[in-house]
Amino acid sequence: MTHEFRTSAGGRIDRSSPVEFTFDGKSYQGFAGDTLASALLANGVHLVGRSYKYHRPRGIVTAGSEEPNALVGIAREKGQNTPNLRAPQVEIYQGLNAESQNRFPSLSFDIGAVNDLLSPLFVAGFYYKTFMWPRSFWQRVYEPFIRSAAGLGKAPTDPDKDRYANYYAHCDVLVIGSGPAGLAAANAAAQSGARVILCDEQAELGGSLLHDATSMIDGKSAADWASETIKALSENDRVTLLPRTTGFGYYAQNFVALAERVTDHLANPDQSLPRERLWQVRAKEVVIATGAIERPLVFPENDRPGVMMAEAGRIYLNRYGAMAGKRVVIATACDTAYRTAVDLKAAGVDVAVIADLRPEPVGVHVDAARSAGIRVEGACVVTGTKGRLRVKSARLGRIRPDGSVTVMGEEACDSLLMSGGWTPNVSLYSQSRGKVVWDEEAGAYLPGPSVQHERSAGSCHGVYGLHAVLEDGYRAGESAARAVSSAAKRPETPSVSGGEAGAGGTLGALPHDRDPSRVRAFIDFQNDVTAKDVKLAVREGFHSIEHIKRYTTTGMATDQGRLSNMNALSVASKSLEKPIPQVGLTTFRQPYTPVTFGTFATTARGEAFDPVRRTPMHDWAVEKGAEFEDVSLWKRAWYFPRPGESMHEAVARECATVRESVGIFDASTLGKIEVVGPDAAEFLNRVYTNPFLKLGVGRLRYGIMLSEAGFIMDDGVVGRIAEDRFHVTTTTGGAPRVLAHLEDYLQTEWPDLNVWLTSTTEQWAVIAVQGPRARDVIAPLVEGIDLSTESMPHMSVREGRICGVPTRLFRMSFTGEAGYEINVPASRGREVWDAVWKNVEAAGGAPYGTETMHVLRAEKGYIIVGQETDGTVVPNDVGMDWAVGKKKADFIGIRSLTRPDIVAAGRKQLVGVLTKDPKVILEEGAQITAEASPALKTPALGHVTSSYYSSALGRSMALAMIADGRDRIGDTIYVPTAEGVVVVEIVSPVFYDAEGGKLVA
Amino acid sequence: MPEKSVYSANADLAPIIATSRVRVAEAAPLIRFSLRGGEAAASHAGTAVGVSLPLEPLTSIATDKVAAFWLGPDEWNLVIQDDDARAMFERVETALADTPHSLVDVSDRNRALIISGRKAAWLLNSQVFLDFDEASFPVGMVTRTLFGKAEIMLWRQAEDTFVIEAWRSFMPYVIELLQEASRELEAA
Amino acid sequence: MLLISCPYCGVERPEIEFRHAGEAHIARPAEPSKLTDEEWAEYLYMRTNPKGLMAERWRHTHGCGRFFNAIRDTVSDKFVTVYKMGEAKPDLDQLLVEAAQ
């Protein structure tokens, strides 16, 4: 059967390069330049899929991305299947492995086809009507059934191994579509000196010029003229040509997204190439030249394999040398189908008849067919087809003047080519937010006024005929170039012979003489929507086209109804007895055709999804076997297990080491802001609850920052480095938010203050050394600072050197032990860390991670913003009224602290809780109740905010926020859990060294 | 490198990308000061570092020892090749003693990459949405912007040479994505 | 992706360089403690939320870092004008007239 339907010569395929591929496991041969669809047709294969609902056998209908039936899955590797590719867009390569979809067990025998026999049940809205009750059936019966029965194609099962690229591009003029209008527009814009991007979804630029075998442009064949024009464009370095690139999304302000398929057409793609590239284009001007789409005719059994669009038949013939059949019936309401007939006849195909709906077809196209000896029947309609897996004959009828139809007989054929006329492809115009306008004369919706800087050119705005389309393209290219530069020029429109516009066209269901209850005429092939379904929807009260679409699913195919919408609209309009413009048109949305997830994600996946921030000491922690936790974008060392240690054991050991000798901790991720200027102290005094005006140089102060609503938003330690210079620290996760908050007040409320903020988070590496031996450990390394408590007490900062490196040395503690935080320039962090670690190790100390830090601070009752607080907590709630300057007249949030609900009784307050059983560790977030078995819907008293095992206490401990908690200290309360009720006692939140003697030692 | 610049490739490190059409190298360490203040502060600081600070938005002034970048109406990034950061800091502070300002040493906050070659702009456009047409982004232009999800400072030093500065922990992300995008330049 | 003009940089940039910062021209009371609870609640929470032109604060976060004001049409999502912090709010009625022309 090889190439049985191939012409003997011609087309743009390379007959010297045979290509072997498989379809549903069967091997075929095509030629380089074939699409999967053209190669299958050349092998006589029309049956390529089963329909969505009825599992009816379906064949190739179109030669473009609007293809409704020929959807295939392409597998490169196991688990790497790409479903729902449209066969007319799939270029074949050696070894291509394509599978049809939606059939079981095989394409020619599909069990699901039983749905077809049950079709009276599967009417419009079937799913809504059937799967409503009983409610309990949803999860166990209906959903699994629908999931297995519905959907086209199989999703891949493995992570996508391919790579996807992104590219941001800018241009003066973006031209979408490279047919005659697009080429002319790009040409005019390029000759005006504009930066041009020309893209086309097809493998080869040129559009309809590539299959126009008869027209001549400037004395050359259309295809030759196209390649010369393209060559000239490619030599212009201000022009970017993008074949295999779909303009799929038109967004605000001429932001247009293109999907370029880089390697899908290659047998063995170079591994360094991305599979696809997302082009994010910002165009000053856009020319939409996306052409028009031929409409199917809606007649009974119009979905039989072998029934195809007439223009598709011409494309396959002229561009690929593939014949739709050997004996062809052409059904049309439009002149353009006559060109197909003439070309087929010239290629030796038997054209049985042209059945034209129009009573008396006339014109150049009709004359050409007649003079080629083709039989033309006017007032003639196809009323049905026969054949199981491929059309065998067409039933013809005569339309009488009153509109009724009489039988004419049957015409044997192995392909039926149809044309209901042309629908301008207004998808991208519609995406640009333009409102289409009904044109009665054209019988079509055309682009209305431009909302963005765009214009349509050629048949996508209703201009037909090669000469007119070229002229329109030049006009559009010139006007686009003129909008960006005064140098616009318009090339002379070339002389054209042939390519005359064709008249005619029809909309909606065709008349027939069959029993309407027994035949189906399909409108939307992909979703199996018939004319009857649309009429039923109208009868059931769906009068808006948007509702009809959703109820029947018409127009919800991968082409968004470019093929089907106008016929559906016409049927609805007749049923509603309203003219088409009153019925409206559904909105076309992005994406134009399906786009892979990979293309949307581009490089934002895996490790590169977000920046992963690591500290200067990260590698050391990795070498020491640390486990890490994510804190905002940072990786922080969580704990340092020794071989064989569990997390619990490691943390207990680290805690004990800090309490008994010394621990070293990487605090580099803390947010840091340098606040500098003559008004620095005044500014800090306004943004913290604490007083800052009198903080001495060299002193530290813990500060709380509130939102204007009075709630704690961040905390940290502030050091006064000089009169006009402060070193502010924030929480790790809060750093960007705090800086934005401070900039906001500085720039917009207090622009008169002479103070500026500079993030220094990454300027400094911060090494915390905590524990009774902290001073001993760092003392030998420090120069120029007296570390004695008299000279450098708790909460002070000094500048000097450590290991020869300049440092800001903070004496402070978040553990309850005496300790230091050593700030050194980040590039020196690791070397200082190594030196300090050597001493820590020699003193029997250990590194500790964030978990130990959390336990140690919880033992001291220190809060963590975001753990004890949740955006509804004021300082008094967490027992920190002491941090609120009582004499201050103003600070951010001050007024809110006296709001009635803030001073009312019953607010949750920070307390400690101890379980009766010291071994039980409560779950963080657990709810707390006053009774052991509260009645349903009893509000909780509060919740557990932090919970750990404390090695210092030798038992579990927890912090909690409990209503009026401080008054309840000593009370017994309850924590209901899945395992039973835990009995706990409310205690003070400070579990360790309540007097703080250890800090000042 | 087509011209002498305050940024030079760190000779101790292997180039990050080395193809015939684009090269990416990490810059050698530099002194960086963030200067904030009014035009008077800019003027005094300029005298101290030896260039007059740019006052036009998104512009720069550079010699082979100093570059001053306009980052905001009261913000400049001063990049200086000098051995003694402390002395340089004091020198600028002294010049600014009577002028309200903020001078902060951020030498270690940033790392810098030098991207050069015919495909430099192409490579950047894999993650940077700016238009690098000479008319839109002329030589000397500098801006803070985004590289993917990382904030960067971007300077066009010469037609085919750009400098990226980013906070140090974001640099591995920037480098990874530059390398990823450059892979297809190796394709036959 | 919208393009937004920054009045300090003098260029248009994609919106992801910017952050929205709420309604503009709501000054923090000079002495919050003198406000009644109702007045304070009004300042904290009450916003106009108009359909049509609205004065908003935006920040060129990933650019010059400046806060500025913008008049945006909440129906069409178009930025009508931008102006620097501290500059007077334009006459919205006048802007509407100009936009209609």
Side-chain angles (χ1 to χ4, degrees), chain A residues 667-988:
Chain A
S668 303
T669 62
L670 280 184
K672 300 167 217 61
I673 302 167
E674 193 99 329
V675 178
V676 185
D679 297 323
E682 172 62 28
F683 177 66
L684 293 179
N685 204 50
R686 296 184 193 184
V687 300
Y688 282 106
T689 59
N690 322 58
F692 270 89
L693 293 176
K694 290 185 182 147
L695 182 69
V697 171
R699 298 295 305 189
L700 302 177
R701 180 157 291 164
Y702 169 80
I704 300 178
M705 218 176 261
L706 307 183
S707 68
E708 203 70 270
F711 301 126
I712 294 175
M713 69 171 286
D714 208 74
D715 66 352
V717 168
V718 178
R720 190 163 201 168
I721 306 299
E723 275 300 316
D724 62 351
R725 185 177 293 265
F726 290 81
H727 181 123
V728 170
T729 66
T730 73
T731 57
T732 295
R737 190 173 63 243
V738 168
L739 189 57
H741 169 76
L742 297 183
E743 282 287 354
D744 189 347
Y745 276 86
L746 193 50
Q747 291 183 35
T748 68
E749 300 294 350
W750 307 316
D752 52 313
L753 291 185
N754 274 319
V755 55
W756 293 271
L757 315 170
T758 305
S759 172
T760 49
T761 300
E762 299 228 36
Q763 166 69 15
W764 303 104
V766 185
I767 304 160
V769 183
Q770 301 272 309
R773 301 206 55 195
R775 181 160 44 202
D776 303 343
V777 159
I778 67 163
L781 307 172
V782 174
E783 302 159 58
I785 302 172
D786 179 355
L787 295 178
S788 68
T789 294
E790 297 71 44
S791 170
M792 188 176 181
H794 180 55
M795 295 305 271
S796 61
V797 54
R798 298 287 180 271
E799 290 185 281
R801 286 180 176 268
I802 184 163
C803 310
V805 177
T807 182
R808 281 182 186 169
L809 184 65
F810 284 47
R811 178 164 175 191
M812 57 177 285
S813 172
F814 196 47
T815 58
E817 304 300 329
Y820 298 89
E821 290 194 357
I822 305 163
N823 290 267
V824 289
S827 65
R828 313 295 295 275
R830 177 66 193 272
E831 67 181 87
V832 175
W833 174 278
D834 285 344
V836 175
W837 163 240
K838 219 174 117 194
N839 289 5
V840 168
E841 193 178 26
Y848 66 96
T850 49
E851 186 67 16
T852 290
M853 181 264 282
H854 282 170
V855 177
L856 296 176
R857 65 87 206 175
E859 288 172 348
K860 287 288 294 178
Y862 295 155
I863 64 160
I864 287 187
V865 172
Q867 186 150 346
E868 272 63 46
T869 72
D870 59 2
T872 66
V873 172
V874 300
N876 186 47
D877 297 340
V878 285
M880 293 173 94
D881 231 15
W882 57 266
V884 179
K886 299 295 176 299
K887 292 181 193 152
K888 291 178 71 170
D890 195 8
F891 56 81
I892 296 170
I894 188 170
R895 177 62 186 84
S896 293
L897 297 184
T898 52
R899 283 162 51 203
D901 53 321
I902 300 297
V903 296
R907 290 188 64 82
K908 288 184 188 177
Q909 295 173 332
L910 181 72
V911 290
V913 292
L914 290 175
T915 51
K916 280 279 179 240
D917 177 350
K919 290 196 291 294
V920 173
I921 301 175
L922 294 168
E923 236 180 290
E924 288 176 357
Q927 300 295 303
I928 295 168
T929 56
E931 297 162 68
S933 309
L936 274 180
K937 299 190 180 173
T938 305
L941 276 183
H943 62 280
V944 177
T945 59
S946 294
S947 175
Y948 308 96
Y949 175 80
S950 162
S951 54
L953 304 183
R955 56 155 300 144
S956 68
M957 55 153 196
L959 297 173
M961 294 294 287
I962 295 180
D964 292 325
R966 290 197 287 269
D967 290 340
R968 293 180 196 255
I969 285 178
D971 287 5
T972 296
I973 50 163
Y974 305 91
V975 179
T977 75
E979 286 78 39
V981 176
V982 180
V983 183
V984 301
E985 187 191 343
I986 302 181
V987 297
S988 152

Side-chain angles (χ1 to χ4, degrees), chain A residues 171-451:
Chain A
C171 63
D172 296 324
V173 182
L174 168 66
V175 182
I176 303 166
S178 69
L183 272 186
N187 195 359
Q191 288 194 31
S192 306
R195 264 197 300 172
V196 177
I197 293 175
L198 171 64
C199 71
D200 194 294
E201 64 179 348
Q202 296 199 33
E204 195 177 358
L205 301 179
S208 62
L209 297 172
L210 301 177
H211 69 263
D212 186 340
T214 46
S215 304
M216 303 290 280
I217 306 174
D218 270 348
K220 300 179 252 284
S221 75
D224 286 349
W225 183 85
S227 38
E228 282 176 28
T229 306
I230 292 159
K231 184 164 179 292
L233 287 170
S234 71
E235 286 162 0
N236 183 333
D237 64 7
R238 292 187 50 87
V239 176
T240 304
L241 300 178
L242 296 173
R244 301 188 180 93
T245 303
T246 306
F248 70 80
Y250 200 133
Y251 303 88
Q253 288 175 292
N254 270 5
F255 181 67
V256 184
L258 321 176
E260 180 190 6
R261 293 172 294 281
V262 182
T263 61
D264 267 4
H265 62 292
L266 301 173
N268 293 300
D270 189 319
Q271 288 303 300
S272 61
L273 291 173
R275 178 186 175 205
E276 295 182 8
R277 185 187 330 271
L278 176 66
W279 287 71
Q280 303 194 52
V281 181
R282 188 71 72 168
K284 291 198 180 92
E285 297 289 327
V286 172
V287 177
I288 300 171
T290 47
I293 290 175
E294 200 173 18
R295 276 192 305 279
L297 291 171
V298 183
F299 57 84
E301 297 130 6
N302 60 346
D303 65 330
R304 189 130 9 238
V307 178
M308 246 168 78
M309 301 312 307
E311 188 76 357
R314 184 162 167 249
I315 293 171
Y316 286 120
L317 179 76
N318 292 337
R319 191 162 159 188
Y320 302 100
M323 295 178 284
K326 292 184 175 167
R327 183 178 162 82
V328 173
V329 166
I330 293 186
T332 188
C334 173
D335 291 349
T336 54
Y338 286 78
R339 299 187 303 213
T340 304
V342 170
D343 289 357
L344 283 170
K345 175 96 182 173
V349 174
D350 181 3
V351 179
V353 64
I354 299 176
D356 197 324
L357 282 179
R358 297 171 295 181
E360 285 176 31
V362 290
V364 286
H365 297 286
V366 181
D367 295 344
R370 284 206 166 103
S371 56
I374 298 169
R375 178 182 151 215
V376 176
E377 294 283 351
C380 182
V381 64
V382 178
T383 56
T385 62
K386 284 186 182 163
R388 194 172 85 86
L389 300 177
R390 179 165 180 173
V391 64
K392 278 186 180 148
S393 68
R395 198 171 176 278
L396 299 180
R398 177 73 69 197
I399 307 172
R400 292 196 297 214
D402 66 356
S404 63
V405 174
T406 55
V407 182
M408 270 177 78
E410 278 185 26
E411 197 69 54
C413 61
D414 57 357
S415 178
L416 192 161
L417 302 180
M418 59 182 167
S419 177
W422 295 83
T423 303
N425 184 358
V426 296
S427 288
L428 290 176
Y429 168 77
S430 183
Q431 285 186 14
S432 82
R433 294 296 182 95
K435 292 269 173 282
V436 293
V437 176
W438 176 252
D439 186 302
E440 192 61 49
E441 198 184 332
Y445 278 107
L446 298 179
S450 292
V451 175

Side-chain angles (χ1 to χ4, degrees), chain A residues 85-168:
Chain A
L85 292 172
R86 293 152 300 280
Q89 284 194 301
V90 174
E91 296 170 63
I92 60 165
Y93 52 80
Q94 191 65 32
L96 173 83
N97 175 13
E99 295 267 348
S100 62
Q101 301 185 157
N102 215 31
R103 81 300 189 262
F104 177 82
S106 78
L107 191 50
S108 55
F109 178 75
D110 175 11
I111 285 174
V114 68
N115 287 1
D116 197 23
L117 304 175
L118 303 173
S119 64
L121 294 175
F122 282 78
V123 292
F126 164 74
Y127 294 99
Y128 305 111
K129 289 167 181 162
T130 310
F131 296 120
M132 294 296 286
W133 47 263
R135 197 185 162 103
S136 62
F137 267 41
W138 246 112
Q139 247 186 338
R140 276 181 309 166
V141 184
Y142 296 147
E143 192 181 317
F145 170 76
I146 292 174
R147 278 190 189 280
S148 68
L152 288 161
K154 279 196 198 79
T157 52
D158 290 359
D160 192 345
K161 289 177 193 157
D162 288 311
R163 291 160 48 240
Y164 298 83
N166 179 63
Y167 189 72
Y168 292 103

Side-chain angles (χ1 to χ4, degrees), chain A residues 608 610-614 633-634 762, chain B residues 7 13 16 24-28 32 108-115 124 147 149-154 162-179:
Chain A
D610 264 337
V612 178
R613 304 177 71 183
R614 295 181 172 88
L633 295 177
W634 289 100
E762 299 228 36
Chain B
Y7 292 98
L13 301 173
I16 290 159
V24 177
E26 172 133 17
R32 296 179 180 86
D108 277 28
R109 184 178 70 177
N110 292 9
R111 287 168 62 189
L113 299 179
I114 304 158
I115 297 119
L124 287 173
F147 180 101
K149 296 178 184 173
E151 185 178 289
I152 59 167
M153 182 198 88
L154 180 67
F162 294 84
V163 171
I164 284 179
E165 287 216 350
W167 288 5
R168 56 191 308 125
S169 72
F170 287 93
M171 206 42 115
Y173 168 84
V174 172
I175 289 171
E176 180 183 345
L177 289 177
L178 285 173
Q179 286 174 328

